[in-house]
Each structure stands twice: as C-alpha cells, then as structure tokens.
Amino acid sequence: MSKQEIEWSFQKTKKGVIMRNQLILAAAAVPDLKVADVEYNTNQIVRLIKENSACGLIVFPELSVTGYTCADLFGSGLLLEKAQDGMIRIAEATQEYSGLTVIIGVPIRFENNLYNCAAVISEGNVCAIIPKQYIPSYSEFYEGRWFSSGKGLTERSVRIHGKDIPFGTDILAEDPESGAVLGIEICEDLWVPDKPSTHMCLAGANIIANLSASDELIGKEEYRRRLVEQQSGSCYCAYVYASAGVDESSTDLVFSGHTLIGQCGTVLQEDIFPLCPSVSTGAIDLVRIMYDRRHQNTFGNADENMYRRVNVNIRAFRNGEASISEMADILKELPVVLSRNPFVPSDDRERRDRCRKIMRIQANGLATRIRATGIYNLLIGISGGLDSTLALLVCAEARSMVPEIRIIAYTMPNKGNTSGLTYKNARELMRLIADEVHEVPISESVQMHLKDIGHSPDYQGEGDSAYENAQARMRTYILMDAANMINGLVVGTGDLSELALGWCTYNGDHMSMYAVNASVPKTLVKYICRTYAQFCSSEELRRVIFAICDTPITPELTPSHEGKISQMTEEKIGKYDLNDFLLYYTLRYGFEPSRSAAYAMCAYPELERKEIIKAAERFYIRFFTQQFKRSCLPDGPKVGSVSLSPRGDWRMPSDASMRLWLDDLKDVMR
C-alpha cells in the first residue's frame, strides 16, 4: 500500500476507524429523444441529470443532444449552433450538483471539419471535448459522409461561447479526491483491434465511458456484451456503456438502448430495449480495480505525457471516507449484490460445472505428480469427514487417468473420541473406493506417548492442545511410515480454510507429500462432494457421500458423548461461511480488516454488527499468528482465485503491525 492509502485506511476519528470510500455510483442513461429536436433532447437530458444527481458519473448515448440518425441534417449550420447551445445549457444545469460528472454526445465543428464528440461536463463547466477516432463507413453505417476522424488530434482546444475548451483524443478526466480517472471512447472505438481505451488505461484511466449508437442485429447483443466484459477485464477497469434508444429507430435500423456497466470482466448491470427514459446504475469499486492492477504486475504503464488531464468531480457515493458502520450502510444503499459465499456460485448449473472442473484440476494435478515420481501407491487417512472424503474421491479420479494407481486407505480411530457415525462412514467409503483398507486404532499409542511426556492419558479440558494434537501427529506418523514401507505417497486432506486459520496440527494433519485440497475453501468442499455423488453410478457410494455431507464438521479430538459427536469446529473458530467470506476479500482484493468487515455486515444483515467485528478479530488473529503452519506446506494443485502457497503467502507480522491490523477493526457502533 502507498503512504497515502495507509493514511486513509488507518486514520482514527471519534467515529472510529476511517477508511477511504472509493465506491462510485455510475449511470448509463437513455433519454427520450426526438431526432434533430435539440431543445427537447436537452430538456430530457437535464431532467435525467436532476433525477440521478446522487450519481458520481452519468453517461449518455452517442450524439444524444441531436440524435444519431440526423443524417444530412448534420450539414445544417443551424442544427450545429443549437447543439452547442444545448451543450452549454446542460453544463449550466449541472452547476448545482456537486461531485457529478456528465458525458453527453454532441457534434462539434473544429477548423474545417465536423467531429462526432463526447463533452465532459462537471459542476457547470464543459471541461473537455473528445472526438471519435474510428468513423465507420461500412454496411449500414454512413458516418464518413458527415464526420471526420479525430485520430491524431492532440494538444488542441476549441473556442465555444468565448471559452477555450481542451479538445482532442489525448485527454483524461481526473478527480484526485475520489481517485477516479476517466477515459472516453465513442461506439466504434470499442470494436477495433487497437482500442483507444487500452492506451488510456495504461496511462492511468480506471473508468471508461462509451457513448454509442449501436443498432441491433441477431447475435450483436451478445457480442457487444462480450466486448465490454473483455475490455473491462483485460484493462482492469470499469466500463460504462450507453447506446442509443428505440427513439432513434428508422425504416432501416432498430436501436435498443443497450446499457452495460462492467468491472474487471464482470457485468454489474445491463438493460436492453427498456422503456425510455431509462437509467441503469452500478457501483464501481475503485479499490478492487486498483488492487487488480497492482497484483497483476504485467499490467504496464504508458507514458503519461501522452495524455492531458483535466480536473472534474466524480465523487464517491455519500462520503469520501467512512467508518466501518457507515461503509456497511453505503453498501446496502448502493446496487451492490454481495454473495454470502463468494467461492460458491449461486446458480445450480454454474456451481455443478465449477465443482466438476475443480475435481478435474485436482485429479490431473495428482496424476501428473504420480507420473513424474513413478510412485503409484497413494496412502490416505480417512476420518469420515468432508475433507478426507474429497481427497479420496480425487484419488479415485486420478486412478481413472493412471490405472497403475493403488489407493491404500487407513482409518485410525481413537477409542472414546471417534464417534460411531464417522467411523461407519469412513469404513463404508474406503470399502467402496480404496484398493486396500487398513484400520489402525491409535488409542494405546497415543496414551503411551502422553505417558512418556508426563501428560495424563485423560483429556484435561479446554485448552489441552497436547492431548488433541498427539492424535493428529500419531495419524500422520503412521501414514508417513507406512508410505516409506511400500514406496507410497501420502495424499493430504487439509483445505484452504483450515490452512488460513491454522486449524490443523503443526507437523500433524497438515503434513503430506501432495495436498490435493490445499486451494479448496471449506464452503466449497461439501458442494464438490455432493456433485460427485449426483453423477456417480453407484447408489451405495452416493448414499455414503450424502451421509458424510450431512455430518457436522468436527476434528473429533476430544471425548465423544456416548459415542456421539461432541466437538464442533465452528464453535471454536466461528462459522466457516463467514470466515471464508473474510478470507476471500482479504486475499482476492487485498482488503484491510475494516473494509472486509463492512462488506460482511452488508452480506450478513441478520448478524449483529458487533458480532461480525468479533468474528473478524478472531479471523485475523488466527490468519496471521498461524503463518508458521503454512511456511512448509506440501505441494498441491491451485484450483481457485486465491491461494496460500508458500511462494504467495502473507508474512507473519510483528506485534506492532498486528496491533495496527486489529486497531483497524475498532469502531464505534451506532
């Protein structure tokens, strides 16, 4: 983080922790329109600006002041004068709306030519005018008949109503307060190979506005959407696209008013063939955009001297800074949809496809390791829980690729701790999948070990980590030695969530020779197992997997209650879905604790906010202090958008820096 970002993130006030708010409400607006009726069109644009003045940015379609389909009327000096007057009147109407920038389409005469332009308007001023670079004159387009290309026009200005206005294709509009840097394309500029927005983003633009008049043909809607997704993704930017509405339709062409707001490869908001006037709004998160750019260090920088920057006001929604509680309120007010399970797709079909792809990645990674080592004996410990079940299923899938594989499964019950339910499920699962099944009770070995170190053979209650960890280490000890005996490879079962929280025994159950689940979060493990069960041919195996999926998550390291599960993992480390939520935003977007907590408050409205703060404190304490357990992770396939690999892990902080992170969660709750 830069010094300025740190100051924003950790500044303290009487309201609690203050974070920088870089959420910008953007709108793609399609007004009612009458072709060549500048006064009517101007009134409609002003009306929509007034009704949506809470936005920081509003983008209107191409040539929205006159209409795109004026054809030879663009040769009329009267129409062009009226268009300039309309532009100035729109600018004057924005004077009372602080923090708002509006982009409208207008024809502009410059020297000997006419240009199809975008006017950048902010707080009463026309701040810049950007001409269209690529003028289509193919198929149904005749723009070359009236307009010239602005390509190569730089360092110029145009005088309108006594004021010199920056004019050219070398302009970016910047709000230093919110961090927004706006670049502008006009319709065809998006469809060409060398897109102007690519160069703008390399020079610092993080939002691209596209004023368009794209007519409808079969298949064009989908292609247009893919263009916006791809450009916002490859440029790590927000993309606000507004196309001409149905009022522009003629005997030859039909326009749809297609609006799209995309961010980093995802469409946040979309509408097509709306009843006009229509406004689509989306919340642009500059924090996420700038994190992606810093993280993807192949994202280069262009020579900033290629572009001039003009100052505008594109305010963050509500305030430029916010406490945790205020940020949560802002997120609720904005059109932001937050998944409670960001690792798990909500759509059933998409979730099934992802689960099957993840298992394919896991199995292929394991199969590749086996071919490379020439070790075909796979040893795995089966507890009857979700993680070892998934690991065993991955071994079975790898065996279908490498028939020489032999799966040797061990269950290692501890009398008095292992419940009847998990023991039964483990035995059934091994019988149905493994080539060899072994049962090695560990009670006597553990008790002997505890006796050797002077520990009572009985559980001493809460905090007796020696008793609990001795079991995990004994199981790993057995698996490793058995692997040595038969030239085998121990397959690890620990998942991403356990590794992040350190919910694993050092040099115990987190140790293996290849950890197939190391990049799979706990919230996804159950869905992968269920998906496998749904598609497997064995009804008996399906029944066992479903039974395991319905079993509470437990390490079973404390005495059971009359043979029933007594130790619940989530009672110790909190709800896994909330932990995974915090993990996702910490690793995927580099959020500081306060911002992650604010997002959680929005995603989990039924939880008390103080409860979320407490959960976040618990998560971050475990996340940092358990780093030593991740410093010697075994290899494993990378299957998700976040990773805790040894080469990409978070360093364990000093006491002072730890306090800084935890102080970031202090908040005066209202």
Side-chain angles (χ1 to χ4, degrees), residues 102-141:
V102 175
I103 317 296
I104 61 170
V106 61
I108 295 293
R109 290 173 294 187
F110 180 72
E111 295 181 347
N112 298 318
N113 296 308
L114 181 64
Y115 296 92
N116 179 347
C117 296
V120 181
I121 294 170
S122 185
E123 296 186 349
N125 298 305
V126 180
C127 302
I129 296 176
I130 293 96
K132 187 174 182 176
Q133 297 192 45
Y134 293 92
I135 306 299
S137 296
Y138 60 86
S139 299
E140 66 268 34
F141 298 107

Short mmCIF file of all heavy atoms in Angstrom, two decimals, residues 102-141:
data_model
loop_
_atom_site.label_atom_id
_atom_site.label_comp_id
_atom_site.label_asym_id
_atom_site.label_seq_id
_atom_site.Cartn_x
_atom_site.Cartn_y
_atom_site.Cartn_z
N VAL A 102 -20.90 14.49 -16.06
CA VAL A 102 -21.85 14.02 -17.08
C VAL A 102 -21.13 13.98 -18.42
O VAL A 102 -20.38 14.90 -18.77
CB VAL A 102 -23.08 14.95 -17.15
CG1 VAL A 102 -24.00 14.53 -18.29
CG2 VAL A 102 -23.82 14.96 -15.82
N ILE A 103 -21.37 12.92 -19.19
CA ILE A 103 -20.80 12.79 -20.54
C ILE A 103 -21.95 12.75 -21.54
O ILE A 103 -22.81 11.86 -21.47
CB ILE A 103 -19.95 11.52 -20.68
CG1 ILE A 103 -19.06 11.30 -19.46
CG2 ILE A 103 -19.13 11.56 -21.96
CD1 ILE A 103 -18.02 12.35 -19.23
N ILE A 104 -21.98 13.70 -22.45
CA ILE A 104 -23.04 13.75 -23.46
C ILE A 104 -22.40 13.70 -24.85
O ILE A 104 -21.22 14.01 -25.03
CB ILE A 104 -23.89 15.03 -23.32
CG1 ILE A 104 -23.03 16.29 -23.51
CG2 ILE A 104 -24.61 15.06 -21.99
CD1 ILE A 104 -23.82 17.58 -23.64
N GLY A 105 -23.22 13.32 -25.84
CA GLY A 105 -22.75 13.26 -27.22
C GLY A 105 -23.22 14.47 -28.01
O GLY A 105 -24.41 14.81 -27.99
N VAL A 106 -22.29 15.10 -28.74
CA VAL A 106 -22.62 16.34 -29.44
C VAL A 106 -21.72 16.50 -30.66
O VAL A 106 -20.54 16.15 -30.62
CB VAL A 106 -22.46 17.55 -28.48
CG1 VAL A 106 -21.04 17.66 -27.98
CG2 VAL A 106 -22.93 18.85 -29.11
N PRO A 107 -22.26 17.00 -31.80
CA PRO A 107 -21.40 17.29 -32.96
C PRO A 107 -20.69 18.63 -32.75
O PRO A 107 -21.31 19.61 -32.33
CB PRO A 107 -22.40 17.35 -34.11
CG PRO A 107 -23.69 17.78 -33.48
CD PRO A 107 -23.69 17.23 -32.09
N ILE A 108 -19.40 18.69 -33.06
CA ILE A 108 -18.61 19.90 -32.84
C ILE A 108 -17.84 20.24 -34.11
O ILE A 108 -17.14 19.39 -34.68
CB ILE A 108 -17.64 19.72 -31.66
CG1 ILE A 108 -18.40 19.53 -30.35
CG2 ILE A 108 -16.66 20.89 -31.56
CD1 ILE A 108 -19.16 20.75 -29.87
N ARG A 109 -17.94 21.50 -34.53
CA ARG A 109 -17.13 21.99 -35.64
C ARG A 109 -15.77 22.41 -35.11
O ARG A 109 -15.67 23.11 -34.11
CB ARG A 109 -17.81 23.16 -36.31
CG ARG A 109 -19.08 22.79 -37.08
CD ARG A 109 -19.81 23.99 -37.58
NE ARG A 109 -20.35 24.81 -36.46
CZ ARG A 109 -21.15 25.86 -36.62
NH1 ARG A 109 -21.50 26.23 -37.85
NH2 ARG A 109 -21.61 26.52 -35.58
N PHE A 110 -14.73 21.96 -35.81
CA PHE A 110 -13.38 22.38 -35.43
C PHE A 110 -12.59 22.59 -36.71
O PHE A 110 -12.43 21.67 -37.52
CB PHE A 110 -12.71 21.32 -34.56
CG PHE A 110 -11.32 21.68 -34.12
CD1 PHE A 110 -11.11 22.67 -33.17
CD2 PHE A 110 -10.22 21.04 -34.68
CE1 PHE A 110 -9.83 23.00 -32.77
CE2 PHE A 110 -8.94 21.37 -34.28
CZ PHE A 110 -8.74 22.35 -33.33
N GLU A 111 -12.13 23.83 -36.84
CA GLU A 111 -11.42 24.23 -38.05
C GLU A 111 -12.28 23.88 -39.27
O GLU A 111 -13.38 24.34 -39.39
CB GLU A 111 -10.02 23.61 -38.07
CG GLU A 111 -9.15 24.14 -36.92
CD GLU A 111 -7.75 23.58 -36.88
OE1 GLU A 111 -7.47 22.58 -37.58
OE2 GLU A 111 -6.91 24.15 -36.15
N ASN A 112 -11.81 23.01 -40.16
CA ASN A 112 -12.55 22.78 -41.41
C ASN A 112 -13.43 21.54 -41.40
O ASN A 112 -14.00 21.19 -42.43
CB ASN A 112 -11.55 22.66 -42.58
CG ASN A 112 -10.75 23.92 -42.77
OD1 ASN A 112 -11.30 25.02 -42.70
ND2 ASN A 112 -9.46 23.78 -43.02
N ASN A 113 -13.54 20.88 -40.23
CA ASN A 113 -14.23 19.59 -40.21
C ASN A 113 -15.28 19.53 -39.11
O ASN A 113 -15.29 20.35 -38.17
CB ASN A 113 -13.22 18.45 -40.01
CG ASN A 113 -12.25 18.34 -41.17
OD1 ASN A 113 -12.66 18.26 -42.33
ND2 ASN A 113 -10.96 18.34 -40.88
N LEU A 114 -16.13 18.52 -39.21
CA LEU A 114 -17.14 18.23 -38.19
C LEU A 114 -16.76 16.93 -37.50
O LEU A 114 -16.37 15.95 -38.14
CB LEU A 114 -18.52 18.09 -38.84
CG LEU A 114 -19.70 17.81 -37.89
CD1 LEU A 114 -19.91 18.98 -36.94
CD2 LEU A 114 -20.97 17.52 -38.69
N TYR A 115 -16.89 16.94 -36.17
CA TYR A 115 -16.48 15.77 -35.39
C TYR A 115 -17.63 15.28 -34.51
O TYR A 115 -18.38 16.08 -33.95
CB TYR A 115 -15.27 16.12 -34.51
CG TYR A 115 -14.03 16.47 -35.32
CD1 TYR A 115 -13.76 17.79 -35.67
CD2 TYR A 115 -13.17 15.46 -35.76
CE1 TYR A 115 -12.65 18.11 -36.44
CE2 TYR A 115 -12.05 15.77 -36.52
CZ TYR A 115 -11.80 17.09 -36.85
OH TYR A 115 -10.69 17.40 -37.62
N ASN A 116 -17.73 13.98 -34.41
CA ASN A 116 -18.66 13.30 -33.50
C ASN A 116 -17.97 13.24 -32.14
O ASN A 116 -16.97 12.53 -31.98
CB ASN A 116 -18.94 11.90 -34.06
CG ASN A 116 -19.88 11.09 -33.19
OD1 ASN A 116 -20.16 11.45 -32.05
ND2 ASN A 116 -20.35 9.97 -33.72
N CYS A 117 -18.48 13.96 -31.15
CA CYS A 117 -17.72 14.18 -29.92
C CYS A 117 -18.48 13.78 -28.66
O CYS A 117 -19.71 13.68 -28.64
CB CYS A 117 -17.34 15.66 -29.80
SG CYS A 117 -16.23 16.23 -31.11
N ALA A 118 -17.67 13.61 -27.62
CA ALA A 118 -18.18 13.47 -26.26
C ALA A 118 -17.77 14.70 -25.49
O ALA A 118 -16.60 15.09 -25.49
CB ALA A 118 -17.61 12.22 -25.61
N ALA A 119 -18.73 15.34 -24.82
CA ALA A 119 -18.44 16.51 -23.99
C ALA A 119 -18.43 16.09 -22.53
O ALA A 119 -19.38 15.46 -22.04
CB ALA A 119 -19.48 17.60 -24.22
N VAL A 120 -17.35 16.44 -21.83
CA VAL A 120 -17.20 16.12 -20.41
C VAL A 120 -17.63 17.33 -19.62
O VAL A 120 -17.02 18.40 -19.70
CB VAL A 120 -15.74 15.75 -20.08
CG1 VAL A 120 -15.61 15.40 -18.60
CG2 VAL A 120 -15.26 14.60 -20.95
N ILE A 121 -18.70 17.17 -18.83
CA ILE A 121 -19.30 18.29 -18.11
C ILE A 121 -19.26 18.00 -16.62
O ILE A 121 -19.61 16.90 -16.17
CB ILE A 121 -20.76 18.48 -18.58
CG1 ILE A 121 -20.79 18.93 -20.05
CG2 ILE A 121 -21.49 19.48 -17.69
CD1 ILE A 121 -22.18 18.92 -20.65
N SER A 122 -18.83 19.00 -15.84
CA SER A 122 -18.77 18.82 -14.40
C SER A 122 -18.99 20.14 -13.69
O SER A 122 -18.29 21.12 -13.95
CB SER A 122 -17.41 18.23 -14.00
OG SER A 122 -17.37 17.94 -12.62
N GLU A 123 -19.99 20.17 -12.82
CA GLU A 123 -20.29 21.30 -11.95
C GLU A 123 -20.31 22.64 -12.70
O GLU A 123 -19.67 23.61 -12.33
CB GLU A 123 -19.29 21.35 -10.80
CG GLU A 123 -19.40 20.13 -9.89
CD GLU A 123 -18.54 20.23 -8.66
OE1 GLU A 123 -17.69 21.13 -8.59
OE2 GLU A 123 -18.70 19.38 -7.75
N GLY A 124 -21.06 22.66 -13.80
CA GLY A 124 -21.30 23.90 -14.52
C GLY A 124 -20.36 24.18 -15.67
O GLY A 124 -20.55 25.16 -16.39
N ASN A 125 -19.35 23.34 -15.87
CA ASN A 125 -18.34 23.61 -16.90
C ASN A 125 -18.25 22.48 -17.92
O ASN A 125 -18.39 21.30 -17.57
CB ASN A 125 -16.96 23.79 -16.26
CG ASN A 125 -16.93 24.97 -15.31
OD1 ASN A 125 -17.26 26.09 -15.69
ND2 ASN A 125 -16.53 24.73 -14.07
N VAL A 126 -17.99 22.88 -19.18
CA VAL A 126 -17.58 21.92 -20.18
C VAL A 126 -16.07 21.79 -20.05
O VAL A 126 -15.32 22.70 -20.42
CB VAL A 126 -17.97 22.36 -21.60
CG1 VAL A 126 -17.51 21.31 -22.62
CG2 VAL A 126 -19.47 22.57 -21.72
N CYS A 127 -15.62 20.70 -19.47
CA CYS A 127 -14.21 20.56 -19.09
C CYS A 127 -13.34 20.07 -20.24
O CYS A 127 -12.13 20.35 -20.27
CB CYS A 127 -14.08 19.60 -17.92
SG CYS A 127 -15.02 20.11 -16.47
N ALA A 128 -13.91 19.31 -21.17
CA ALA A 128 -13.15 18.78 -22.29
C ALA A 128 -14.10 18.26 -23.35
O ALA A 128 -15.25 17.92 -23.06
CB ALA A 128 -12.22 17.66 -21.83
N ILE A 129 -13.61 18.20 -24.58
CA ILE A 129 -14.36 17.62 -25.69
C ILE A 129 -13.45 16.63 -26.39
O ILE A 129 -12.33 16.98 -26.81
CB ILE A 129 -14.85 18.71 -26.66
CG1 ILE A 129 -15.85 19.63 -25.95
CG2 ILE A 129 -15.49 18.06 -27.88
CD1 ILE A 129 -16.32 20.79 -26.80
N ILE A 130 -13.93 15.38 -26.52
CA ILE A 130 -13.12 14.31 -27.10
C ILE A 130 -13.78 13.83 -28.39
O ILE A 130 -14.94 13.37 -28.36
CB ILE A 130 -12.95 13.14 -26.12
CG1 ILE A 130 -12.12 13.56 -24.90
CG2 ILE A 130 -12.27 11.96 -26.79
CD1 ILE A 130 -12.93 13.98 -23.72
N PRO A 131 -13.10 13.92 -29.53
CA PRO A 131 -13.69 13.45 -30.79
C PRO A 131 -13.55 11.94 -30.97
O PRO A 131 -12.63 11.31 -30.45
CB PRO A 131 -12.87 14.19 -31.85
CG PRO A 131 -11.53 14.39 -31.21
CD PRO A 131 -11.79 14.58 -29.73
N LYS A 132 -14.47 11.38 -31.72
CA LYS A 132 -14.43 9.96 -32.05
C LYS A 132 -13.26 9.68 -32.99
O LYS A 132 -13.01 10.45 -33.93
CB LYS A 132 -15.76 9.56 -32.71
CG LYS A 132 -15.96 8.09 -32.98
CD LYS A 132 -17.38 7.85 -33.50
CE LYS A 132 -17.66 6.38 -33.74
NZ LYS A 132 -19.08 6.17 -34.17
N GLN A 133 -12.56 8.58 -32.75
CA GLN A 133 -11.37 8.30 -33.54
C GLN A 133 -11.66 7.44 -34.77
O GLN A 133 -11.09 7.66 -35.84
CB GLN A 133 -10.32 7.61 -32.67
CG GLN A 133 -9.84 8.49 -31.52
CD GLN A 133 -8.60 7.93 -30.85
OE1 GLN A 133 -7.66 7.51 -31.51
NE2 GLN A 133 -8.59 7.93 -29.53
N TYR A 134 -12.53 6.43 -34.60
CA TYR A 134 -12.79 5.50 -35.70
C TYR A 134 -14.20 5.73 -36.25
O TYR A 134 -15.19 5.52 -35.54
CB TYR A 134 -12.61 4.06 -35.23
CG TYR A 134 -11.17 3.75 -34.88
CD1 TYR A 134 -10.71 3.91 -33.57
CD2 TYR A 134 -10.27 3.33 -35.85
CE1 TYR A 134 -9.38 3.65 -33.25
CE2 TYR A 134 -8.94 3.08 -35.54
CZ TYR A 134 -8.50 3.22 -34.23
OH TYR A 134 -7.20 2.97 -33.92
N ILE A 135 -14.27 6.17 -37.49
CA ILE A 135 -15.55 6.54 -38.12
C ILE A 135 -15.97 5.42 -39.05
O ILE A 135 -15.35 5.20 -40.11
CB ILE A 135 -15.40 7.86 -38.90
CG1 ILE A 135 -14.85 8.96 -38.00
CG2 ILE A 135 -16.74 8.26 -39.50
CD1 ILE A 135 -15.70 9.30 -36.81
N PRO A 136 -17.04 4.67 -38.73
CA PRO A 136 -17.44 3.55 -39.58
C PRO A 136 -18.13 4.03 -40.86
O PRO A 136 -18.99 4.91 -40.83
CB PRO A 136 -18.41 2.77 -38.68
CG PRO A 136 -18.99 3.80 -37.77
CD PRO A 136 -17.89 4.81 -37.53
N SER A 137 -17.76 3.41 -41.96
CA SER A 137 -18.41 3.69 -43.24
C SER A 137 -18.59 2.37 -43.99
O SER A 137 -18.24 2.24 -45.16
CB SER A 137 -17.59 4.68 -44.07
OG SER A 137 -17.52 5.93 -43.43
N TYR A 138 -19.09 1.37 -43.29
CA TYR A 138 -19.30 0.06 -43.87
C TYR A 138 -20.71 -0.41 -43.52
O TYR A 138 -21.35 0.10 -42.59
CB TYR A 138 -18.27 -0.94 -43.35
CG TYR A 138 -18.28 -1.13 -41.85
CD1 TYR A 138 -19.14 -2.04 -41.22
CD2 TYR A 138 -17.44 -0.37 -41.04
CE1 TYR A 138 -19.15 -2.20 -39.85
CE2 TYR A 138 -17.44 -0.52 -39.66
CZ TYR A 138 -18.30 -1.44 -39.07
OH TYR A 138 -18.31 -1.58 -37.71
N SER A 139 -21.21 -1.36 -44.30
CA SER A 139 -22.55 -1.92 -44.07
C SER A 139 -23.57 -0.80 -43.91
O SER A 139 -23.71 0.05 -44.78
CB SER A 139 -22.53 -2.85 -42.85
OG SER A 139 -21.64 -3.94 -43.07
N GLU A 140 -24.26 -0.76 -42.75
CA GLU A 140 -25.34 0.21 -42.57
C GLU A 140 -24.88 1.56 -42.08
O GLU A 140 -25.71 2.46 -41.83
CB GLU A 140 -26.40 -0.36 -41.61
CG GLU A 140 -25.93 -0.54 -40.18
CD GLU A 140 -25.36 -1.92 -39.90
OE1 GLU A 140 -24.74 -2.50 -40.81
OE2 GLU A 140 -25.54 -2.41 -38.77
N PHE A 141 -23.57 1.75 -41.90
CA PHE A 141 -23.05 3.00 -41.32
C PHE A 141 -22.54 3.94 -42.42
O PHE A 141 -21.84 3.52 -43.35
CB PHE A 141 -21.91 2.70 -40.34
CG PHE A 141 -22.35 1.86 -39.17
CD1 PHE A 141 -21.98 0.53 -39.07
CD2 PHE A 141 -23.15 2.40 -38.17
CE1 PHE A 141 -22.39 -0.24 -38.01
CE2 PHE A 141 -23.57 1.63 -37.11
CZ PHE A 141 -23.19 0.30 -37.02
#
